[in-house]
Amino acid sequence: MGVPQAMAALRDKAALVRESLQKSQTITESMVSILGSFDHRLSSLETAMRPTQIRTHSIRRAHENIDKTLKAAEAILGRFDLTRKAEAKILRGPHEDLESYLEAIDQLRSNLQYFTTHKCFKRTSGIITHANNLLTKAISKLEDEFRNLLTNYSKVVEPDRLFDGLPDSLRPSATSPGKRNDSKKDSDNQKNSENAVYTPPTLIPPRVLPLLHNLAQQMVQAGHQQQLFRIYRDTRASVLEQSLRKLGVERLSKDDVQKMQWEVLEAKIGNWIHYMRIAVKLLFAGEKKICDQILAGIDSLRDQCYAEITANSVSVLLSFGEAIAKSKRSPEKLFVLLDMYEIMRELQSEIDYLFGTKSCKEMRESAQSLTKRLAQTAQETFGDFEEAVAKDATKTAVLDGTVHPLTSYVINYVKFLFDYKTTLEQLFQEFEESDTEAQLKTLTKRIMEALQTNLDGKSKQYKDPALTQLFLMNNMHYIVRSVRRSEAKDLLGDDWVQIHRRIVQQHANQYKRISWAKVLQCVTIQGAAPAGGGGILGGDSGSGISRAMVKDRFKNFNAQFEDLHMRQCQWNVPDSELRESLRLAVAEVLLPAYRSFHKRFGPMAESGKNPCKYIKYKPEDLERMLSEFFEGKTCVEQKR
């Protein structure tokens, strides 16, 4: 195919393309025209439909509002119904069904909250006023119910019920209150009493406590805290105080204490110690337990209530302790002061727990102050005792030379001190950190030294120097024997005991020398020897000594021995072993000398006139008469 043909074919194809494009353009323009027509028609239709759409939307919203209004009306009517039911229950009062009554109050309070937040309703304000008035009446009835329940179930606790809560060892049947046990304390028993179980009495039945708690909660929610506080405090405080009074607790002032006879006061102190245990471990503990349960969740009110309920009772108990601590000091008060100090120490942890809140701070500090005051007074009394022993000026002489009352008093005092050894060590630590055992040892030695010094002074009242020595021997022996049999020995030591045993022997030797020296001179053979050689020791029994001298010797011996017998039978050596030992010591010196003298010179006196006038006693008679010495017999008894 040539070029002209190709060009012609190409022109034909281009013409076809041009024709196709023109047709496509024509069709496009036609479609645009048609679409424009449709758009115009839709716009017109939309304009025509708009009023209908608006009416439909309004109707839909109206339906929604009607639904909401119906639901709101239904809720309000429901609240009205609930309020009416709650009102009916409240008007019936809490007596029939307290639980339902409390539910009605909760419901009324909820309804009140609802109406307060939905005030658009025309009669809302009237409903709120009515509900508030109804709630006020309900709470008022609750107060009455709380008061009645608390009063009816708050009974005075009888002493027997309190005693049942004590460990067996502390019940009155085992140890009567008011009587101190004067025997040696058993440390094991003390430990057992410290670990003993105390069972506080049931002050209010457990089934009532939840009801009281719910009532208290409702009163607090209603803003009636002060009413709740007054009702609870006044009711429980009165019952607590009556329980203590029935037990025997009484308020005594310092003047009352000062006027009492010691025996009466001592019994009251013993009772007070018993009362403190019962009050703290049983009554106060029980009071805290119910207070914590009834007023649970109301912490500030609970703590203040408990503080004011117990305040007066605590004050009455502690005031007696203060009165004793501040009263005039005297030695016999030391042990009751230590007993009181012991009980305060024993109860300290419970007191700190029971009165550990800020509201109870004053009572807690008062108890701590009393403990310190008792410790201080006891320490001062201890010091007074040492001084009193040293300065004791008792004029009553012990005529028979026996143990002086001061000696037995001081020794018993010291023995009691060792019953309180642990307590004394605690007491010393109240004031200074030091070796408390060394401190007790020093004080004990000083008391012993003061006693010995005083006895030395009292011994000078005797005109007979032999009785002076017998008196000192008796008293020192009593001291040594008592120390050896007590815990004081461990503290004072064996050296102290041995030194003072030697002192006893020294006084016994002095007695023998002073009493029997002249008597022995009468029957000493050496004293009967003539001046010139031979004589009794070396020759004939009769050479160089006259019958008159022999008679004079026997006569003097009889007179002196009879005089000693008459006087010293009235003297007293109360310890049987010491008495026999002293008699034996005298007999070992006197009897051999008399036998020898009687054997060698007796025939000279018997050969003359009236031999019985000079030789009145055989050695056996003297031995029998020596056995009557130191019996403390009166002259009348001797004549019999």
Side-chain angles (χ1 to χ4, degrees):
M1 180 179 295
V3 174
Q5 290 178 338
M7 288 294 290
L10 186 61
R11 260 197 255 41
D12 289 339
K13 287 181 181 179
L16 286 172
V17 171
R18 191 182 299 108
E19 184 181 350
S20 295
L21 286 171
Q22 286 176 352
K23 286 181 179 179
S24 177
Q25 180 67 34
T26 301
I27 292 169
T28 299
E29 288 175 354
S30 296
M31 286 300 295
V32 168
S33 175
I34 291 169
L35 288 172
S37 175
F38 275 120
D39 184 58
H40 176 72
R41 290 176 183 177
L42 285 172
S43 177
S44 299
L45 182 61
E46 185 178 353
T47 302
M49 290 290 292
R50 186 171 291 114
T52 304
Q53 290 174 343
I54 292 170
R55 285 196 297 273
T56 303
H57 181 69
S58 297
I59 291 168
R60 188 181 299 113
R61 288 191 63 184
H63 278 293
E64 290 174 354
N65 288 335
I66 289 168
D67 288 341
K68 287 180 181 179
T69 302
L70 287 173
K71 288 179 181 178
E74 187 179 346
I76 290 169
L77 289 173
R79 291 286 179 174
F80 273 127
D81 188 50
L82 290 172
T83 301
R84 188 173 61 255
K85 290 179 180 178
E87 182 176 6
K89 290 180 181 179
I90 288 168
L91 291 176
R92 281 198 300 269
H95 301 294
E96 293 181 8
D97 187 349
L98 179 58
E99 189 173 348
S100 294
Y101 188 84
L102 293 174
E103 289 175 357
I105 289 178
D106 285 336
Q107 184 62 63
L108 182 61
R109 191 176 279 116
S110 173
N111 292 346
L112 187 59
Q113 179 66 28
Y114 175 83
F115 287 120
T116 301
T117 55
H118 295 79
K119 291 186 176 180
C120 58
F121 185 62
K122 187 181 292 184
R123 296 181 58 190
T124 298
S125 59
I127 294 171
I128 291 173
T129 301
H130 179 70
N132 274 323
N133 292 336
L134 188 59
L135 189 58
T136 301
K137 290 179 182 178
I139 297 302
S140 178
K141 289 184 179 181
L142 270 190
E143 283 183 24
D144 293 338
E145 184 67 12
F146 183 82
R147 183 185 291 104
N148 291 336
L149 271 177
L150 190 64
T151 302
N152 291 338
Y153 287 103
S154 292
K155 303 296 183 184
V156 175
V157 186
E158 296 295 329
D160 286 345
R161 281 185 61 207
L162 292 172
F163 298 151
D164 287 343
L166 294 171
D168 291 341
S169 60
L170 293 174
R171 292 181 187 177
S173 56
T175 304
S176 298
K179 287 189 177 182
R180 285 198 310 110
N181 184 6
D182 287 341
S183 63
K184 182 179 180 296
K185 290 187 178 182
D186 187 333
S187 59
D188 291 335
N189 288 339
Q190 282 186 323
K191 289 177 184 176
N192 290 337
S193 69
E194 288 172 5
N195 298 325
V197 176
Y198 293 79
T199 309
T202 302
L203 301 180
I204 292 177
R207 62 184 176 82
V208 182
L209 293 173
L211 296 176
L212 289 169
H213 170 67
N214 289 337
L215 289 169
Q217 291 281 22
Q218 292 287 351
M219 290 173 68
V220 170
Q221 287 181 35
H224 290 220
Q225 285 179 298
Q226 288 307 309
Q227 293 91 322
L228 170 64
F229 174 78
R230 284 195 296 270
I231 293 169
Y232 192 86
R233 177 198 62 193
D234 295 347
T235 304
R236 290 306 311 165
S238 174
V239 171
L240 176 60
E241 289 164 24
Q242 289 179 63
S243 298
L244 285 172
R245 278 199 297 273
K246 205 153 194 179
L247 183 64
V249 175
E250 55 185 332
R251 186 182 286 277
L252 294 172
S253 66
K254 181 182 173 182
D255 290 338
D256 295 330
V257 167
Q258 289 289 80
K259 293 173 185 176
M260 284 183 191
Q261 294 291 326
W262 168 241
E263 292 77 11
V264 175
L265 183 59
E266 187 179 26
K268 286 191 178 295
I269 291 170
N271 285 334
W272 179 84
I273 290 168
H274 204 54
Y275 299 154
M276 280 298 296
R277 269 202 193 92
I278 290 174
V280 173
K281 290 181 176 286
L282 300 181
L283 284 173
F284 295 158
E287 204 65 55
K288 181 170 177 59
K289 183 178 179 181
I290 63 168
C291 193
D292 287 348
Q293 289 179 281
I294 294 172
L295 302 178
I298 320 169
D299 295 350
S300 60
L301 187 67
R302 178 196 63 201
D303 296 342
Q304 188 63 30
C305 262
Y306 179 73
E308 296 207 17
I309 287 166
T310 54
N312 190 57
S313 296
V314 171
S315 173
V316 170
L317 286 164
L318 296 186
S319 66
F320 178 79
E322 288 286 347
I324 297 296
K326 292 177 182 177
S327 63
K328 185 178 179 181
R329 297 195 301 270
S330 59
E332 65 271 14
K333 284 184 182 177
L334 176 61
F335 300 108
V336 293
L337 286 167
L338 292 174
D339 285 335
M340 294 171 74
Y341 174 72
E342 271 186 356
I343 192 63
M344 292 304 296
R345 290 270 307 185
E346 178 187 327
L347 299 175
Q348 193 63 58
S349 59
E350 281 93 345
I351 290 172
D352 289 344
Y353 164 70
L354 294 172
F355 303 101
T357 64
K358 185 178 179 180
S359 301
C360 297
K361 180 181 178 183
E362 185 176 345
M363 286 178 281
R364 187 171 67 252
E365 290 180 347
S366 294
Q368 292 168 353
S369 174
L370 175 58
T371 305
K372 286 280 188 183
R373 168 81 71 170
L374 289 168
Q376 182 180 357
T377 306
Q379 189 181 53
E380 290 169 354
T381 303
F382 202 168
D384 291 347
F385 178 67
E386 180 191 340
E387 185 177 351
V389 171
K391 294 182 178 179
D392 178 76
T394 306
K395 296 298 182 184
T396 305
V398 182
L399 299 178
D400 59 3
T402 190
V403 176
H404 197 280
L406 176 66
T407 303
S408 56
Y409 176 75
V410 171
I411 292 301
N412 286 332
Y413 202 94
V414 170
K415 285 164 70 176
F416 271 130
L417 285 178
F418 283 92
D419 290 345
Y420 291 88
K421 183 179 178 184
T422 302
T423 305
L424 283 167
E425 289 175 351
Q426 291 173 341
L427 185 146
F428 293 149
Q429 288 175 347
E430 291 276 358
F431 304 100
E432 58 179 305
E433 292 291 337
S434 61
D435 186 344
T436 54
E437 184 166 312
Q439 197 171 353
L440 184 57
K441 179 177 181 178
T442 300
L443 286 169
T444 305
K445 281 188 172 181
R446 279 164 44 184
I447 290 172
M448 293 298 193
E449 289 167 3
L451 174 60
Q452 287 175 247
T453 301
N454 191 288
L455 290 172
D456 286 339
K458 283 179 168 47
S459 71
K460 293 178 172 58
Q461 297 176 10
Y462 297 108
K463 295 180 180 179
D464 189 330
L467 186 55
T468 294
Q469 297 302 319
L470 191 81
F471 170 79
L472 292 172
M473 178 198 71
N474 275 330
N475 282 272
M476 190 55 62
H477 179 267
Y478 181 86
I479 292 169
V480 172
R481 185 191 62 180
S482 299
V483 167
R484 288 178 64 195
R485 295 178 179 178
S486 74
E487 291 182 46
K489 180 186 176 184
D490 297 332
L491 194 69
L492 295 175
D494 289 331
D495 288 345
W496 188 94
V497 171
Q498 293 304 321
I499 289 169
H500 289 78
R501 286 182 71 180
R502 287 196 291 271
I503 293 174
V504 173
Q505 190 59 50
Q506 289 168 8
H507 289 305
N509 293 337
Q510 286 286 80
Y511 156 78
K512 287 188 294 181
R513 184 185 62 78
I514 295 169
S515 277
W516 298 97
K518 291 182 179 180
V519 178
L520 287 169
Q521 284 179 2
C522 295
V523 292
T524 300
I525 295 175
Q526 287 83 347
I536 298 169
L537 294 176
D540 181 74
S541 62
S543 63
I545 185 170
S546 66
R547 183 178 289 109
M549 184 181 294
V550 170
K551 289 181 178 180
D552 190 54
R553 286 285 193 94
F554 275 112
K555 185 177 179 181
N556 287 337
F557 174 84
N558 294 338
Q560 289 187 41
F561 182 80
E562 287 168 359
D563 178 60
L564 286 177
H565 179 266
M566 182 185 69
R567 286 187 292 111
Q568 296 195 18
C569 281
Q570 299 176 54
W571 295 1
N572 190 4
V573 178
D575 184 83
S576 58
E577 290 183 10
L578 181 61
R579 183 170 60 246
E580 288 303 317
S581 174
L582 193 60
R583 287 172 179 167
L584 182 60
V586 172
E588 286 176 346
V589 175
L590 179 67
L591 295 181
Y594 184 78
R595 284 193 184 97
S596 178
F597 190 85
H598 182 274
K599 181 179 180 180
R600 298 185 66 176
F601 296 102
M604 292 180 66
E606 289 173 350
S607 63
K609 295 180 180 179
N610 301 318
C612 294
K613 181 179 177 181
Y614 303 104
I615 304 179
K616 297 175 69 173
Y617 304 107
K618 296 178 181 179
E620 294 77 16
D621 296 327
L622 296 181
E623 188 173 5
R624 176 185 56 78
M625 292 174 75
L626 280 175
S627 68
E628 297 173 351
F629 276 53
F630 318 126
E631 291 285 352
K633 294 180 179 179
T634 63
C635 294
V636 175
E637 287 175 319
Q638 289 186 66
K639 288 177 181 178
R640 289 177 183 171

